[in-house]
Amino acid sequence: MVKEYSPVKSAITSSQVAGELYRASMIARQLSLAAKNSQAIVHRAGSRVAGLKVISEYFADLALKTIKLAEAINTISLDISHLAVERWRQNTLVDHLFDSQEKTENDDVLLIITETRQRQEGINNRFNIEIRSLESQLEEIQQYMQASRVVAVSFRLEATQTDEYQGILEDMANNIDVFSEKIKQHVLDAKSYIDRLLQS
Amino acid sequence: MEAKLLFDDKHQWYVFARDPDKPEKIIDTNQYMVVSGKESLVLDPGGIEIFSAMLSTILKFIPLEQVTHLFASHQDPDIISSLGMWDQVIPKAKLYTPNLWEGFIRHFGCENIEFCGIKDGGGELKIGDTTLQFIPAHYLHSSANFHVYDPVAKILFSGDIGAALEPQDSSLFIEDFDSHCDKMKFFHQRWMPSNEAKNHWLKRVRKLDIDMMLPQHGRIFRGKEVEQFFDWFEALNVGVALDS
């Protein structure tokens, strides 16, 4: 038997997750800008920061992936929210049908209840699959942010070996750190909303 | 669903509209939200079909506990048929809506939310530090109907007045007033029943200082377009079905 979570809580949770991921995707755009800046610096500095060329390319790729993933999670959350509301409406319908059945003891109503129950089950299964997929995508974006912080460490290390670009590289490392941390926080908040739902 | 910040000072006005996932045959609606301090007012929160999109969009900007007030200009389903869902999600909220419609609106489900009926003469509501005015717009088109005016932001939420029937992907703002009139004409002539009510409303709102007029369907009016609309509406003969 697939677990059935409260449709009201499910609708709220998926909307909260969508909200967190919307904010995360806004910050991911700033992260992407930082990545483009880092590529420009590497290009300008040439051989003096040669060690950063590969890492800045990796960082640019990572930033783009983060934006795409955050937006994809936002879309999944919206789909889940629609499913939760649909389940909510079906539940309300079943409640009313049971009331009607009690009053009339009509076989036709019983048949509609059975059919509605089947639809409910289908929606519930889809909901459970989607929420698990959401969880794994949140894990993935968290891993991206860990990788992003490794990038920041590399920038700091490289900064110690250059004079002219030291300040810029340190600022860049700090920006990457701040953006990654903020995104991570939104992802953690989103995960905690899901955890609370799954534990309910 | 598209979301845009319309006014941003000590308090904010947002518009939420053009939901791409909305079922095709239901009319497109504009929803608005005023946020001030720890409170907010959602104006004409919309029908049940757009509830999930609305909830998700609102939560992009404020947490759920900050959704404290709802306003329904009148009783139509595209305005407030989502009430039964909001009632479960924000049970401690208050709903401000025409007093006359209480027994009707409660059919959408209102067991938890506090029903606050607005008397025919209108009134005021404080959201955080912002005071909003309920402007009577009776018989336009609903027999008990209110608009909302914000004297600080100089914004008038005008419900069905100023509405236009347009494709889903149209702009949120008017680009050319003259060509926009064609899209508003049928709506106002057929849905608005009374020239007397129209002139009464015009007399009232022409006294207000308005920078932006926000209808529940169609596009937003800015600057001189507001006055242009008043002149256009004044010249328009409404209640035309009586002649058919």
Side-chain angles (χ1 to χ4, degrees):
Chain A
M1 173 95 183
V2 178
K3 183 163 181 182
E4 192 175 335
Y5 302 101
S6 147
V8 181
K9 280 184 189 164
S10 303
I12 294 173
T13 299
S14 45
S15 295
Q16 284 169 324
V17 171
E20 292 299 338
L21 266 296
Y22 169 78
R23 287 185 278 277
S25 67
M26 291 292 116
I27 300 164
R29 283 176 197 189
Q30 291 174 283
L31 194 68
S32 176
L33 195 65
K36 279 178 190 151
N37 285 341
S38 79
Q39 282 185 307
I41 294 290
V42 168
H43 182 71
R44 209 186 317 157
S47 59
R48 278 166 290 176
V49 291
L52 274 184
K53 190 169 188 304
V54 175
I55 200 85
S56 74
E57 278 167 9
Y58 168 76
F59 178 42
D61 186 44
L62 184 70
L64 277 179
K65 278 185 182 165
T66 306
I67 293 178
K68 279 187 186 159
L69 189 54
E71 286 172 352
I73 297 173
N74 191 13
T75 307
I76 290 184
S77 312
L78 292 176
D79 288 345
I80 292 177
S81 178
H82 286 306
L83 278 177
V85 170
E86 186 49 34
R87 193 154 55 87
W88 188 352
R89 290 170 78 172
Q90 299 282 336
N91 284 9
T92 309
L93 174 62
V94 167
D95 289 345
H96 288 298
L97 288 170
F98 273 124
D99 278 352
S100 170
Q101 169 65 9
E102 269 180 28
K103 284 170 194 153
T104 62
E105 293 183 1
N106 184 316
D107 285 349
D108 287 348
V109 177
L110 211 55
L111 186 67
I112 300 170
I113 291 175
T114 310
E115 286 170 359
T116 312
R117 281 284 200 201
Q118 282 167 355
R119 274 202 303 276
Q120 265 182 313
E121 211 173 306
I123 295 169
N124 196 39
N125 287 343
R126 275 170 59 204
F127 178 85
N128 281 288
I129 291 168
E130 293 273 12
I131 206 103
R132 297 293 172 193
S133 135
L134 187 63
E135 267 192 309
S136 74
Q137 287 194 304
L138 287 172
E139 291 281 349
E140 199 177 338
I141 205 165
Q142 233 181 330
Q143 283 166 13
Y144 282 5
M145 289 310 98
Q146 277 161 4
S148 181
R149 299 195 82 171
V150 172
V151 171
V153 172
S154 302
F155 270 79
R156 273 203 193 91
L157 273 175
E158 195 69 29
T160 58
Q161 292 166 31
T162 60
D163 291 332
E164 194 183 347
Y165 293 98
Q166 186 167 3
I168 299 173
L169 289 172
E170 274 174 358
D171 282 351
M172 210 161 269
N174 290 339
N175 276 340
I176 295 168
D177 247 351
V178 170
F179 294 148
S180 306
E181 185 54 34
K182 279 184 183 170
I183 292 173
K184 193 178 133 199
Q185 197 51 53
H186 286 302
V187 173
L188 284 174
D189 287 347
K191 282 180 81 177
S192 75
Y193 286 130
I194 294 176
D195 286 346
R196 263 179 266 161
L197 174 71
L198 297 182
Q199 284 160 16
S200 63
Chain B
M1 182 177 275
E2 198 177 326
K4 200 167 187 66
L5 184 61
L6 296 173
F7 175 82
D8 187 14
D9 195 24
K10 285 177 184 161
H11 67 286
Q12 293 78 36
W13 276 80
Y14 294 88
V15 58
F16 308 129
R18 312 294 188 260
D19 178 17
D21 299 324
K22 169 186 77 59
E24 194 188 338
K25 288 191 175 175
I26 65 170
I27 189 168
D28 191 38
T29 52
N30 303 331
Q31 291 67 232
Y32 300 94
M33 178 170 76
V34 182
V35 179
S36 181
K38 289 181 179 173
E39 294 187 318
S40 72
L41 173 74
V42 181
L43 296 97
D44 285 1
I48 198 164
E49 291 289 350
I50 63 159
F51 169 75
S52 59
M54 268 297 286
L55 181 62
S56 301
T57 310
I58 287 173
L59 296 188
K60 285 178 181 173
F61 302 100
I62 56 171
L64 193 59
E65 54 272 20
Q66 209 176 332
V67 187
T68 51
H69 297 75
L70 301 177
F71 166 77
S73 59
H74 58 288
Q75 83 295 356
D76 274 355
D78 63 320
I79 304 281
I80 190 67
S81 66
S82 57
L83 179 62
M85 302 232 146
W86 291 112
D87 189 62
Q88 304 284 312
V89 167
I90 44 169
K92 290 178 184 163
K94 293 180 176 182
L95 169 68
Y96 283 80
T97 193
N99 200 40
L100 191 75
W101 288 121
E102 177 169 6
F104 296 72
I105 283 178
R106 281 187 182 277
H107 272 281
F108 292 130
C110 187
E111 287 172 16
N112 302 301
I113 285 178
E114 185 183 340
F115 189 100
C116 304
I118 309 168
K119 290 181 181 163
D120 280 352
E124 286 188 345
L125 172 65
K126 208 163 178 211
I127 300 292
D129 294 326
T130 305
T131 302
L132 302 169
Q133 300 171 8
F134 297 126
I135 307 292
H138 305 311
Y139 304 106
L140 293 174
H141 63 91
S142 173
S143 44
N145 204 120
F146 288 99
H147 295 165
V148 175
Y149 178 61
D150 177 345
V152 175
K154 297 181 183 173
I155 287 176
L156 176 70
F157 166 71
S158 59
D160 280 321
I161 299 285
L165 300 172
E166 288 206 84
Q168 167 78 34
D169 56 353
S170 60
S171 162
L172 275 175
F173 297 97
I174 292 172
E175 283 145 7
D176 175 57
F177 183 81
D178 290 335
S179 62
H180 190 64
C181 292
D182 289 341
K183 294 166 189 159
M184 297 191 291
K185 191 175 174 187
F186 173 76
F187 189 97
H188 288 80
Q189 286 197 311
R190 185 62 185 86
W191 262 282
M192 302 302 154
S194 156
N195 284 310
E196 190 184 342
K198 176 192 78 175
N199 291 330
H200 198 273
W201 178 81
L202 279 166
K203 198 174 163 191
R204 195 189 288 271
V205 294
R206 277 190 192 276
K207 290 177 193 159
L208 305 175
D209 189 4
I210 303 169
D211 282 347
M212 226 186 279
M213 189 174 97
L214 316 178
Q216 194 234 346
H217 309 281
R219 301 188 188 205
I220 292 170
F221 298 76
R222 293 170 294 183
K224 67 175 186 183
E225 291 158 358
V226 177
E227 200 60 39
Q228 280 178 300
F229 173 78
F230 293 161
D231 293 343
W232 173 85
F233 192 34
E234 190 163 23
L236 191 75
N237 185 39
V238 302
V240 294
L242 293 175
D243 302 328
S244 60

